[in-house]
Amino acid sequence: MSEQRQVVVLGSGPAGLTAAIYTARANLKPLVLEGEPSSTSDQPGGQLMLTTEIENFPGFVEGIEGPELMARMRDQAKRFGADFHTRKATRVDLSAPPFKIWTGEASGAAPDVVATSLIIATGAQSLMLGVPGENRLLGHGLSTCATCDGFFFREQDVAVVGGGDSAIEEALFLTRFVRSVTIVHRRAELRASKIMQERAFSNEKISFRWNSVVTELLGESKLTGVALHDLSTAEDSILEVSGVFVAIGHAPSTAVFNGQLELRENGYIQTYGGTRTSVEGVFACGDVQDDTYRQAITAAGSGCSAAIDLERWLDVQEHS
């Protein structure tokens, strides 16, 4: 038999947990489908579960570990009455309210959950290199966010992998802190816009390794360098750096919503006037609809917005 809920939140990163806190305090008793630990995406706690020290989340003067911050936010939501199920949505029907949600490998005719309203906070994942050492060194020299981690590499030599605008933006930001940045790109020219290229070429701290790919990240408990393979000469070499920033793109967790919601060309959920989606009663927040900022604090802020938008929508429905 389907579980009936007034509010369901999909995802439990900063956006989902903030939405859960706000809707729970409004006495809406939200159900949070927080994801599955074995999943490569939509894991409970989101991307911050893979982050070590966070120093730019307001209120934590000495910084806080990513998993601890997520645990505190989860406990706060539970304190106000949010329910958590360690499952992820694998199928949805948003064609008409109430919205139907299936979880896990369930393929039965009856959905697992039926919701009057829905907040989607399933996030986005950084595209990774898929090379040896990646899992071991993530958060220990390997990063996907210069804005988050650049401060920790003051006066050190680092590398940025990628050749688009995001990679160049990361490299330019890092020059505020580091001694040198080497951009590793698999082609002989950048894909970034001309103005971004000009800024990179004119920055004395930035150098390039063209036609090169990373084949391995080196170091046991801390990154010490990267193994590179030159695609034009077939030569292998070692680049000694203490930090590597991967900037080859992100993939929003929106596959389950294909054909259900309006998505932008890059796969992110299209929102209107804040967090409203193309379907009445469905709201989206955090990195699943934000391809610009991708910060924990902006995700949390949009989770608050989604909760307030949802509360107001419910109020209109009740009085119409």
Side-chain angles (χ1 to χ4, degrees):
M1 186 174 181
S2 301
E3 185 173 356
Q4 308 284 327
R5 289 284 181 156
Q6 188 173 30
V7 177
V8 171
V9 178
L10 303 182
S12 58
L17 291 178
T18 302
I21 290 168
Y22 272 76
T23 52
R25 289 189 75 250
N27 202 32
L28 294 175
K29 299 179 174 58
L31 169 64
V32 182
L33 298 180
E34 61 179 342
E36 297 175 348
S38 59
S39 175
T40 55
S41 63
D42 303 323
Q43 63 180 342
Q47 292 295 291
L48 287 193
M49 296 300 290
L50 305 175
T51 304
T52 51
E53 191 171 10
I54 300 170
E55 289 195 327
N56 56 3
F57 199 93
F60 297 95
V61 179
E62 304 300 326
I64 186 171
E65 297 288 308
E68 182 183 355
L69 177 60
M70 292 299 90
R72 289 192 184 192
M73 293 178 72
R74 188 181 190 275
D75 289 344
Q76 189 174 1
K78 288 187 70 175
R79 174 194 168 201
F80 292 119
D83 290 334
F84 287 83
H85 290 183
T86 309
R87 294 180 285 165
K88 63 177 287 188
T90 53
R91 177 185 163 200
V92 298
D93 182 353
L94 308 181
S95 58
F99 306 117
K100 303 173 183 62
I101 305 166
W102 289 261
T103 63
E105 298 180 358
S107 58
D112 297 285
V113 183
V114 174
T116 304
S117 58
L118 182 65
I119 292 177
I120 300 171
T122 47
Q125 287 72 47
S126 299
L127 299 179
M128 301 302 287
L129 301 172
V131 299
E134 194 170 62
N135 293 335
R136 180 178 73 252
L137 294 169
L138 185 60
H140 301 281
L142 174 62
S143 172
T144 60
C145 179
T147 307
C148 310
D149 301 327
F151 178 83
F152 299 112
F153 295 87
R154 285 186 176 276
E155 295 305 315
Q156 299 179 42
D157 299 311
V158 303
V160 172
V161 182
D165 279 346
S166 293
I168 303 308
E169 287 174 6
E170 297 269 277
L172 291 168
F173 178 82
L174 287 166
T175 59
R176 304 179 188 181
F177 309 100
V178 304
R179 182 166 51 229
S180 72
V181 181
T182 301
I183 295 177
V184 179
H185 187 40
R186 64 184 302 115
R187 298 180 177 85
E189 59 184 19
L190 298 172
R191 294 182 291 104
S193 59
K194 291 298 182 183
I195 189 170
M196 295 300 292
Q197 292 189 42
E198 291 171 2
R199 291 174 182 173
F201 292 143
S202 64
N203 193 304
E204 61 183 14
K205 287 189 175 183
I206 297 177
S207 60
F208 300 85
R209 292 293 291 267
W210 303 109
N211 299 306
S212 297
V213 294
V214 176
T215 57
E216 185 177 0
L217 300 177
L218 308 174
E220 288 304 316
S221 59
K222 184 179 180 181
L223 185 108
T224 59
V226 295
L228 299 179
H229 179 73
D230 190 306
L231 297 172
S232 59
T233 66
E235 293 182 357
D236 295 316
S237 62
I238 301 296
L239 177 64
E240 294 184 355
V241 290
S242 55
V244 172
F245 294 81
V246 179
I248 57 176
H250 293 78
S253 298
T254 54
V256 72
F257 307 113
N258 281 328
Q260 302 280 335
L261 290 173
E262 181 182 350
L263 305 179
R264 303 204 293 278
E265 288 185 3
N266 57 7
Y268 287 77
I269 294 176
Q270 178 67 56
T271 51
Y272 299 90
T275 65
R276 295 175 182 272
T277 71
S278 57
V279 174
E280 282 287 320
V282 178
F283 305 83
C285 56
D287 288 4
V288 76
Q289 53 86 225
D290 171 24
D291 59 352
T292 302
Y293 302 106
R294 301 191 186 100
Q295 299 296 302
I297 189 63
T298 54
S302 69
C304 166
S305 298
I308 293 173
D309 288 344
L310 178 145
E311 290 172 36
R312 291 174 177 172
W313 181 81
L314 285 175
D315 187 60
V316 170
Q317 304 308 305
E318 291 173 3
H319 294 87
S320 61

